[in-house]
Amino acid sequence: MKTSPSQPIRVMLVDDHAMVRRGLATMLKVFDDLQLVGEAENGEAAVQLCAKVLPEVILMDMSLPVMDGAAVTKAIRQRFPQTQIIALTSFKEGKLIKNALEAGAIGYLLKDVSADDLVWAIRAAHAGRATLSPEAAQALVESAHQPPAPGLDLTEREREVLTLMIEGLNNMQIAGRLTVSPSTIKSHVSNILSKLGVASRTEAVTLALRNHILS
């Protein structure tokens, strides 16, 4: 329970739930080498408070009002690069984890983490060492092996044609709108279906809308 740097590690909490902050604050008091120096309930307040209390480690929720956790992490790390940030959240989606780490978080833990593991992570962050929960590490591996999103290889002209397909135009109407021959449009449509891995115009339109290919 007591490792001890000469001075306690200065820890700040950022979470919009008072009960979560209270539980974390109570836990931190048990460890002599940790000192709670501030709490913030939203992203904007966190950036302002960080400038006042200069924490060494921040436990940061990723779902926050005003500014989300990744944006707050990036803002704080840019202004106070000596401050290490551990994402402490309920979410384990690969994209959220990636966003947090790219924003500058040194760790990513879930809120069901044990007190001992959380304290270990705080000490590790203070020493410049990264910590990922097993679930977060697994989610990152899985997201890295996902196939690329459909539609990334569409050409600009194919995207134009797909847009008009979504509007309900047939090949003749699309050809008129783009002032090219119907056979050219037929070729573009064939390429679109092939690249999207679908068998019909209806499937192509459905897939494009569901995956926000053109947004």
Side-chain angles (χ1 to χ4, degrees):
M1 195 177 287
K2 301 179 183 180
T3 70
S4 276
S6 52
Q7 296 292 328
I9 300 169
R10 297 169 58 80
V11 181
M12 185 174 115
L13 307 176
V14 184
D15 198 294
D16 58 331
H17 292 100
M19 289 296 291
V20 172
R21 297 198 309 274
R22 189 174 305 163
L24 290 170
T26 301
M27 181 211 73
L28 291 174
K29 289 177 183 175
V30 176
F31 297 88
D32 294 343
D33 62 326
L34 305 179
Q35 177 188 5
L36 177 61
V37 295
E39 301 178 29
E41 63 181 15
N42 65 58
E44 188 175 19
V47 177
Q48 295 172 354
L49 182 61
C50 186
K52 293 178 182 177
V53 302
L54 298 176
E56 293 168 290
V57 178
I58 298 176
L59 299 181
M60 176 83 68
D61 189 15
M62 287 291 103
S63 177
L64 292 169
V66 187
M67 292 170 69
D68 69 51
V72 183
T73 297
K74 185 174 183 179
I76 288 176
R77 289 285 295 161
Q78 285 177 339
R79 289 181 60 186
F80 310 102
Q82 74 280 10
T83 298
Q84 299 289 4
I85 296 175
I86 298 172
L88 184 62
T89 180
S90 303
F91 303 101
K92 53 185 177 182
E93 288 81 1
K95 183 177 180 182
L96 296 175
I97 300 165
K98 191 166 177 284
N99 288 346
L101 299 179
E102 287 178 349
I106 198 171
Y108 196 104
L109 300 175
L110 300 183
K111 285 184 176 177
D112 60 1
V113 66
S114 70
D116 285 341
D117 285 347
L118 181 57
V119 170
W120 187 90
I122 292 171
R123 292 170 182 154
H126 182 251
R129 299 193 305 272
T131 306
L132 284 180
S133 72
E135 298 91 342
Q138 181 64 29
L140 276 181
V141 169
E142 290 174 357
S143 65
H145 287 84
Q146 285 179 349
L152 293 178
D153 55 348
L154 292 177
T155 65
E156 194 59 41
R157 177 59 95 181
E158 287 164 355
R159 294 172 72 87
E160 288 181 89
V161 171
L162 181 56
T163 299
L164 296 175
M165 288 166 60
I166 291 172
E167 290 181 18
L169 277 61
N170 60 32
N171 285 3
M172 189 72 71
Q173 293 167 322
I174 295 173
R177 182 78 68 89
L178 298 180
T179 62
V180 296
S181 72
S183 62
T184 298
I185 297 302
K186 184 177 180 181
S187 175
H188 284 317
V189 171
S190 177
N191 288 338
I192 290 168
L193 300 188
S194 175
K195 289 180 178 181
L196 296 184
V198 297
S200 70
R201 297 168 70 98
T202 301
E203 286 182 52
V205 168
T206 301
L207 185 69
L209 293 174
R210 188 170 63 230
N211 291 277
H212 309 289
I213 288 175
L214 300 174
S215 60

